[in-house]
Amino acid sequence: MARKDLPILVVGGGIGGLAAALALSKKGRAVQVLEQAATFAEIGAGIQLGPNVFKMFDYLGLTEAIDRTAVFPDNLIMRDALSGEELIRVPVGSEAFRARFKFPYGVIHRADIHGAFLEACQKSPLVTLSASQKAVGCEDKGDRVVVNTEAGASFEGELLIGADGIWSKVRAQLVGDGKPRVSGHIAYRAVIPTSKVPAHLQQNNVVLWAGPKTHLVHYPLRRGEVYNLVVVFHSSRYEEGWDTYGDPEELHERFKGERPEVLEYLAMVNAWKMWVLCDREPIKGWSKGRMVLLGDAAHPMLQYLAQGACMATEDAVVLANKLEAARGDHASAFDAYEKERYLRTARVQLMARFYGEVYHATDVKRDLRNSLLKNASPEGAINGAAWLYEGVPV
């Protein structure tokens, strides 16, 4: 028999872990979140939020908190970084887009969305947040799970959710599929005050400049106070981690010959943070016994569809709903959760890889991309995204 007096343990206090804690607390479940860092905080910069995750925010009661710091762009625009020509414009701020998907498209600083989840979890008497608890081992005892941490602590739970990201210790134990797949793409990111961005480069749009084996994305954040810049290029250089400083010289070499606007953006920043883009192959088998995976631990994806945090939040809501519906039968709940999620998340994983190829196309592939996109209508682009942006039932 399960130990019903124990909380559900969540390993990982990022967006996915906190989303799981919040979704479960809404169902009346006690949850304890174990975070390896000394504080619950997020590194990184801007992320994009599709209507599918705003649907989840609405369900979780987070809309007001998210809206406080989110920016709602008028358009998603893709330009050729060599010619400067506009390839496609998706009017995500339009009435037609809102009418189609019922929810908006937004951009937000990663720390702000994490902060909204954290604040909601802190307000819940059912959520316990434990920092400085790096999980080093998990054990399924049959009637409960036990997590041992580097600090020498031991936590017992009824169930365990591994929300510990792409390098997940829980996944290593459940699946054992080794290290993530290194894509060969490097991303540099920076956030700069809007006052330092020349007026002619400011706009309330998400703009992607697609170049040969490179791209640059820029958009405003925090109600327009700062600008988020992300540049990606192909490189065999590899350093694990998110907070390595990049090399501006390498950047300028990779982007040589691209449009003046692109080079202007690059010149504004003298300290770029670098990370290596990785993902994994889609899998089945997200659970074993009393343990289950969520978010990047289950289905890490490249960022080209801007859906990592969105998919993790959907996972959290679906998992909480399945656990409630199963009335204590965690095995059937985990099975139903995986069946509802694995094809959708696999599609995002694989489509993200494909979009990376489209953004970085060279030569004839570039010509084909430009030809196809210029002939596409905004309506076609909106309808083409329906599988993703309509979200999941709640």
Side-chain angles (χ1 to χ4, degrees), residues 2-82:
R3 289 280 305 278
K4 295 292 187 186
D5 56 314
L6 295 174
I8 294 175
L9 297 178
V10 177
V11 175
I15 292 167
L18 293 183
L22 182 60
L24 287 162
S25 72
K26 298 274 184 189
K27 303 295 187 183
R29 305 298 291 266
V31 187
Q32 183 162 18
V33 184
L34 308 178
E35 166 56 37
Q36 65 178 352
T39 57
F40 281 79
E42 261 291 0
I43 55 176
I47 59 174
Q48 299 179 50
L49 302 171
N52 55 305
V53 79
F54 278 95
K55 184 178 184 179
M56 300 297 104
F57 297 151
D58 181 61
Y59 176 76
L60 293 169
L62 287 177
T63 303
E64 190 182 327
I66 297 293
D67 285 359
R68 276 202 294 271
T69 54
V71 169
F72 299 96
D74 298 322
N75 303 283
L76 306 182
I77 299 171
M78 184 173 173
R79 291 184 176 279
D80 186 292
L82 297 179

Side-chain angles (χ1 to χ4, degrees), residues 41 57 63 81 87 131 159 212 355 369:
F57 297 151
T63 303
L87 302 178
L159 303 169
Y355 272 53
R369 174 198 69 197

Side-chain angles (χ1 to χ4, degrees), residues 359-375:
Y359 295 160
H360 301 155
T362 58
D363 305 321
V364 173
K365 288 180 182 176
R366 169 183 170 245
D367 295 343
L368 176 62
R369 174 198 69 197
N370 292 2
S371 169
L372 291 172
L373 288 178
K374 280 190 294 186
N375 287 321

Side-chain angles (χ1 to χ4, degrees), residues 210-359:
K213 297 187 178 179
T214 66
H215 80 266
L216 163 73
V217 178
H218 58 79
Y219 50 82
L221 280 178
R222 289 188 166 153
R223 293 296 187 191
E225 295 167 19
V226 295
Y227 248 71
N228 186 67
L229 302 183
V230 180
V231 296
V232 176
F233 54 89
H234 293 202
S235 173
S236 55
R237 178 177 175 180
Y238 177 66
E239 288 180 50
E240 180 186 326
W242 283 67
D243 259 3
T244 310
Y245 277 98
D247 175 8
E249 290 298 315
E250 184 179 17
L251 266 194
H252 293 293
E253 181 62 35
R254 301 282 179 179
F255 284 80
K256 190 184 290 182
E258 296 194 10
R259 288 285 303 173
E261 299 94 324
V262 173
L263 302 182
E264 252 188 293
Y265 272 112
L266 297 183
M268 283 180 226
V269 184
N270 53 23
W272 295 86
K273 289 291 185 75
M274 181 196 98
W275 80 100
V276 179
L277 300 180
C278 302
D279 66 358
R280 292 184 184 272
E281 293 300 320
I283 59 163
K284 290 184 182 180
W286 294 4
S287 66
K288 187 184 289 183
R290 294 186 171 274
M291 304 183 198
V292 67
L293 302 175
L294 180 145
D296 280 352
H299 45 71
M301 51 193 58
L302 300 178
Q303 92 288 20
Y304 299 121
L305 273 186
Q307 280 285 318
C310 304
M311 287 296 114
T313 306
E314 285 187 2
D315 283 353
V317 170
V318 171
L319 179 57
N321 286 341
K322 297 303 183 190
L323 283 167
E324 180 185 48
R327 299 178 182 274
D329 182 355
H330 68 273
S332 71
F334 290 171
D335 187 51
Y337 157 68
E338 181 183 315
K339 279 181 176 157
E340 187 163 320
R341 298 299 296 155
Y342 88 100
L343 289 177
R344 178 168 170 81
T345 55
R347 187 172 180 181
V348 178
Q349 286 176 287
L350 297 176
M351 287 295 286
R353 289 182 187 175
F354 174 68
Y355 272 53
E357 297 300 317
V358 171
Y359 295 160

Side-chain angles (χ1 to χ4, degrees), residues 157-168:
E158 182 192 344
L159 303 169
L160 168 64
I161 298 171
D164 47 342
I166 190 167
W167 295 91
S168 170

Side-chain angles (χ1 to χ4, degrees), residues 9 11 34 36 132-141 145-157 160 169-170 173 291:
L9 297 178
V11 175
L34 308 178
Q36 65 178 352
S132 301
Q133 298 296 343
K134 182 178 182 179
V136 291
C138 319
E139 197 176 349
D140 188 334
K141 297 282 193 179
V145 286
V146 178
V147 177
N148 297 309
T149 71
E150 200 172 69
S154 183
F155 297 90
E156 289 192 333
L160 168 64
K169 288 279 195 335
V170 182
Q173 196 164 319
M291 304 183 198

